[in-house]
Amino acid sequence: MPIPIIIYAGIAAAGAVGAAVAARKWRRSLRIAVLGVNDSGKSTLIDFWRGEWVEEGRAHTQAKRNFDRIKTVAGDRRFVFRKLADLSGDESDWAEWKGPAEASAVVLYLVRAVDLVDEERAADLHPDGYGPFTKGWERIEDSAGLIRPWLDGGRAKLCVLTVTWCDQDPRQAELGEDAYRKHLAGQLEPIVLKLGGTGRVRVVAGSLESPASAGALSDRIMDQIVAWERT
Ligand SMILES: Nc1nc2c(ncn2[C@@H]2O[C@H](COP(=O)(O)OP(=O)(O)O)[C@@H](O)[C@H]2O)c(=O)[nH]1
Ligand SMILES: [Mg+2]
């Protein structure tokens, strides 16, 4: 097994030094839940926030971890996530998402762009049929349907549908940035509906393939949270 190369704290270093001064004025304590099927990037995103980046050989583990406090910087803002759980994406563990989902103010739901590509390709082969055509899409739909009542009955008013793995989505280069985002939004419409509709759900897209891309995606997520809190 390759030995994971972990770069501690190097991640935020570039932005953090400059940002720290400005960031001090804005500190937000927040309870969020990070949900999504296996390999959607939950652990990678959480580790990024913790200032830890596993460069290669990340163990594909669904072992649960609990973090009492995670301090992170996004843009010129500082956030403190309280009681953040890194959950398993295994279908047999989905019931364990309920507690964190109901107790959190914001629910992040991660989906993989590569699963969306597969579904679209499969659908193209069945132009007259009705999906889901792939297991990946079915899992996304099923778990979104599961989350819905927890959002209805819990504390969370905002769900950020976060598309990861966009670096591996050929449609990004084919369509260009803006059209790609619109395309994703269109494809994800049924998932947004399953989660409760556009009043509650915001879609953001990006990737977790490098610390820089993770930082950009994290900033986009936080921008949505801050914008929603201001409304
Ligand atoms: N290329 C690429 N790899 C990713 C992305 N997100 C996650 N990964 C990789 O996918 C694997 C599983 O990620 P992990 O965070 O453990 O997923 P989890 O099962 O949701 O916790 C790791 O090797 C990550 O480096 C992404 O956006 N792009
Ligand atoms: Mg994980």
Side-chain angles (χ1 to χ4, degrees):
M1 204 178 99
I3 300 162
I5 299 168
I6 302 173
I7 304 172
Y8 287 98
I11 300 163
V17 179
V21 181
R24 222 169 275 138
K25 59 186 164 186
W26 213 97
R27 187 173 195 133
R28 180 83 177 88
S29 182
L30 197 67
R31 185 131 182 220
I32 67 168
V34 181
L35 311 178
V37 301
N38 282 347
D39 284 351
S40 56
K42 301 179 295 298
S43 301
T44 305
L45 181 61
I46 291 168
D47 280 343
F48 173 78
W49 286 333
R50 295 172 61 231
E52 187 179 296
W53 188 261
V54 181
E55 197 62 45
E56 54 188 63
R58 170 181 287 277
H60 285 253
T61 170
Q62 299 302 317
K64 273 150 259 173
R65 299 180 297 172
N66 285 295
F67 302 101
D68 208 41
R69 276 162 74 84
I70 294 177
K71 291 182 187 172
T72 195
V73 177
D76 63 351
R77 301 185 186 94
R78 290 169 76 181
F79 289 84
V80 182
F81 299 132
R82 284 177 295 110
K83 290 190 173 45
L84 180 56
D86 185 11
L87 299 157
S88 159
D90 285 343
E91 197 162 342
S92 55
D93 292 325
W94 286 357
E96 291 173 25
W97 296 0
K98 184 176 194 277
E102 286 185 334
S104 296
V106 176
V107 170
L108 302 192
Y109 180 52
L110 274 56
V111 303
R112 304 187 330 147
V114 284
D115 287 334
L116 308 182
V117 174
D118 288 348
E119 175 69 10
E120 195 165 272
R121 284 190 184 140
D124 284 346
L125 299 173
H126 300 85
D128 303 321
Y130 293 95
F133 300 103
T134 60
K135 190 73 194 157
W137 180 270
E138 203 174 299
R139 278 205 202 92
I140 292 170
E141 270 196 336
D142 288 353
S143 46
L146 195 75
I147 294 168
R148 167 80 187 254
W150 303 334
L151 293 173
D152 290 341
R155 278 185 63 207
K157 300 283 179 287
L158 174 70
C159 176
V160 183
L161 176 50
T162 305
V163 187
T164 57
W165 286 90
C166 293
D167 57 302
Q168 300 296 317
D169 186 340
R171 300 175 302 180
Q172 185 156 20
E174 282 159 28
L175 296 170
E177 196 76 19
D178 281 354
Y180 174 63
R181 278 174 210 284
K182 282 192 192 117
H183 188 84
L184 278 182
Q187 192 182 4
L188 286 168
E189 226 168 76
I191 307 300
V192 170
L193 279 177
K194 279 224 159 193
L195 291 166
T198 51
R200 171 193 286 163
V201 185
R202 300 284 178 275
V203 179
V204 302
S207 84
L208 298 167
E209 43 104 33
S210 67
S213 67
L217 181 59
S218 169
D219 286 357
R220 261 175 241 140
I221 293 168
M222 301 312 177
D223 284 348
Q224 290 299 332
I225 294 173
V226 171
W228 159 79
E229 281 181 330
R230 288 197 177 132
T231 57

